[in-house]
Amino acid sequence: MKLQYLATLSAVVAHGNLTAAAEQVNLTRSAVSLQMKQLEAYFGQLLFDRSGRHVQPTAFAREVVRTVDRAMAEIEALRSHAARAPGGLVRLGITDSAQTTLLPLAFTDLLRNAPQVELQIERGSTPILLDELKAGRIDVAVLIRPPTGGSSRLLWTELLNDELVLVVPKGLKAAPPAQILREQPWLRFDRRMVAGRMAGQFVEKLVPQRQALIDLPSIDAIVAMVGAGVGVSVLPRLRVEHLHAHAVREVSLGPNAPVRKLAMVRRKAESDHRLLDIVESSFVAAARQLKA
């Protein structure tokens, strides 16, 4: 019997159904069901009443979960109060967008709370970083989560959601986004980027067969060109520095605007790696500061 099965049982009892529990523990519903049957075989007792439309945990299952939760809380307390400060090298892959938003805040948090953790930064686009992570050349990555959700064989932690907007010259007359994109030259964000593909797909739906004036891989370059009056572009929400440095403004794309999801990802085999937990906590805290 694997300890992970007990964590899955705790999730099933907490959520009240297999589907929600499967999402929490990053397994399929059938895998969760199989684990529950194996636990029942291990204990020699039923853990669920399956006579109704929904499975209901038995009193014995609830007692098991209470025992497991108490034990895990005590173990976590021991881990949190370990006398020796954790230290070591973490190879972190990160996209350009996260380098100027999350990284400064997260790094400051690490210097203050875990100074013995050393970061080795690897810069790259989302596809490249995912390949590096799967190959074991980096330990963890902060990147744009693919719209499909990304590989279920990896562990994902959501950090920030950035809604895409239409960026236009500050003095451009107000009009609906579709009209602006039809009338103004379109500066397309590089389609090799996740956000670039999302922006391109949105523009294609809004203004079919719209041709781009130019493709650019840099948000900074696009914002500068929009500020100079060259055209308009669909981009993730701009940083305050962009709005201050260039004569541009944002136009909402409405309720159907695509959303870029910034996430931290690591391999499942390292789901209980203390150094990675510390780095992840710093980025989660940084994301919380930016949302505030």
Side-chain angles (χ1 to χ4, degrees), residues 10 15 107 149 197 219 234:
S10 181
H15 287 283
F107 191 66
R197 289 196 297 274
I219 290 179
V234 174

Side-chain angles (χ1 to χ4, degrees), residues 132-161:
E132 293 288 291
L133 182 67
K134 292 173 184 176
R137 289 187 285 269
I138 58 176
D139 303 308
V140 64
V142 178
L143 43 71
I144 309 304
R145 187 166 188 173
T148 56
S151 173
S152 60
R153 292 176 292 178
L154 298 172
L155 291 177
W156 298 85
T157 300
E158 299 291 343
L159 296 174
L160 286 175
N161 288 344

Side-chain angles (χ1 to χ4, degrees), residues 94-126:
I94 191 165
T95 60
D96 287 344
S97 57
Q99 285 184 64
T100 54
T101 53
L102 289 170
L103 182 58
L105 294 172
F107 191 66
T108 300
D109 183 80
L110 283 171
L111 287 176
R112 181 172 57 250
N113 298 315
Q116 291 181 312
V117 175
E118 179 186 353
L119 289 185
Q120 178 180 305
I121 305 295
E122 300 288 342
R123 173 181 171 234
S125 64
T126 288

